[in-house]
Amino acid sequence: MKQELGRKRKGRAMALITCKDLSLGYEGKAIVSNLNFSVQKGDYLCIVGENGSGKSTLMKTMLHLLQPLGGRIELGEGLRQREIGYLPQQTVVQRDFPASVQEIVLSGCQGRFGFHPFYTKADKALAMEMLEKTGMQEYAKHCYRELSGGQQQRVLLARALCATQKVLLLDEPVSGLDPKAMANMYQTIAELNQKEGITILMISHDMEGALPYATHVLHIGRSLFFGSKQEYQKSEIGRMFAGAMGGEKEGMKA
């Protein structure tokens, strides 16, 4: 497996997240081996690659939902595991969840200080603040399952923000959304990164929509790449993959 590495970033603080010689997989069978990359505070890392290449497996491993088959993941800059927010791919069952928007977002507070049976005034204030940041405050009392797909994703983003103001892991956050909702979601995520200083790690198949906001790219597949967005766009794997994805889109339109 070949690996293209971007130039080392100089003069920057210790990385928030560092993956060293990481091997990922299930039941002892590796999907990805010898994966090395680091994420600095304020980065917007776009994780791309073919279907089944291990992108979601990487995120689950970073969240300790799966154990690495080899290598290690290190946290720096005082980052704690519970300060990493996560927006997974949404399932059909989740879309039909019978709870209010406020209840959904409040549940994200549980990871901040450990389980507690009742929500505090501070929890409720935080939930409303995150709903405001995602433009969903007016829907706080609405039933979650009655919202559009784009609105539901914003609610889940607000929930993830209740768990952290440092790092967000997003797994295909615009999947299934219409073009307008996709654009709005990308803009919201970009503002959280650029204005709030939240570090973003996002899996996406939407190269055209996601890449403009990225600072760095991690490509997982038959070849591995980690580097700046500009380095990726100039690399052989970046040009080949972008062309292949463009072909897929044309085929879908035809």
Side-chain angles (χ1 to χ4, degrees):
M1 183 177 287
K2 296 180 180 180
Q3 184 170 14
E4 294 187 52
L5 296 175
R7 291 186 296 272
K8 292 183 178 179
R9 290 174 270 177
K10 298 180 180 179
R12 301 190 69 180
M14 181 180 178
L16 279 178
I17 302 172
T18 303
C19 292
K20 295 184 177 180
D21 299 322
L22 198 62
S23 292
L24 312 170
Y26 297 89
E27 299 178 353
K29 183 177 181 180
I31 301 174
V32 180
S33 300
N34 301 318
L35 183 60
N36 293 277
F37 69 95
S38 61
V39 180
Q40 306 281 348
K41 182 178 180 180
D43 280 355
Y44 191 133
L45 176 66
C46 191
I47 303 172
V48 301
E50 298 84 356
N51 289 334
S53 60
K55 301 183 297 297
S56 293
T57 303
L58 171 61
M59 278 202 173
K60 291 175 182 177
T61 304
M62 294 175 73
L63 291 162
H64 289 184
L65 300 175
L66 293 172
Q67 292 298 313
L69 300 183
R72 63 187 187 275
I73 301 172
E74 299 175 353
L75 303 183
E77 291 288 308
L79 179 67
R80 294 174 291 181
Q81 190 66 39
R82 67 187 184 192
E83 293 177 312
I84 300 176
Y86 179 45
L87 177 58
Q89 292 189 48
Q90 196 175 8
T91 65
V92 174
V93 173
Q94 288 171 327
R95 293 190 184 99
D96 200 38
F97 198 72
S100 72
V101 165
Q102 186 178 36
E103 289 171 334
I104 294 286
V105 177
L106 271 170
S107 67
C109 294
Q110 290 290 354
R112 292 176 66 86
F113 305 108
F115 177 78
H116 47 277
F118 302 103
Y119 293 114
T120 65
K121 288 183 179 180
D123 289 336
K124 294 176 182 178
L126 179 65
M128 289 306 297
E129 180 185 351
M130 297 307 110
L131 280 170
E132 185 174 354
K133 283 186 177 181
T134 57
M136 291 299 294
Q137 67 272 24
E138 64 183 280
Y139 295 92
K141 301 299 182 182
H142 288 228
C143 181
Y144 174 78
R145 63 183 177 186
E146 294 175 359
L147 302 179
S148 69
Q151 290 170 334
Q152 286 185 344
Q153 285 296 80
R154 285 174 172 270
V155 170
L156 294 179
L157 181 59
R159 180 185 185 277
L161 285 169
C162 278
T164 183
Q165 291 294 288
K166 292 187 177 182
V167 182
L168 281 176
L169 273 56
L170 311 174
D171 192 349
E172 296 286 358
V174 302
S175 179
L177 303 185
D178 62 58
K180 182 178 180 181
M182 287 174 63
N184 289 339
M185 190 67 170
Y186 279 133
Q187 185 61 40
T188 298
I189 295 168
E191 289 176 359
L192 290 172
N193 175 246
Q194 297 165 10
K195 296 181 180 180
E196 305 291 336
I198 295 175
T199 303
I200 304 293
L201 288 79
M202 182 174 70
I203 294 173
S204 181
H205 283 99
D206 179 24
M207 295 280 287
E208 183 179 356
L211 212 56
Y213 299 102
T215 61
H216 296 81
V217 177
L218 173 64
H219 184 112
I220 302 176
R222 289 183 291 273
S223 294
L224 300 176
F225 173 96
F226 171 68
S228 71
K229 174 178 65 178
Q230 291 77 13
E231 289 169 338
Y232 181 68
Q233 290 172 324
K234 294 176 182 178
S235 71
E236 182 179 356
I237 184 62
R239 293 193 300 269
M240 288 177 59
F241 190 67
M245 293 301 291
E248 284 185 17
K249 287 187 177 182
E250 290 301 321
M252 291 172 64
K253 291 177 182 178

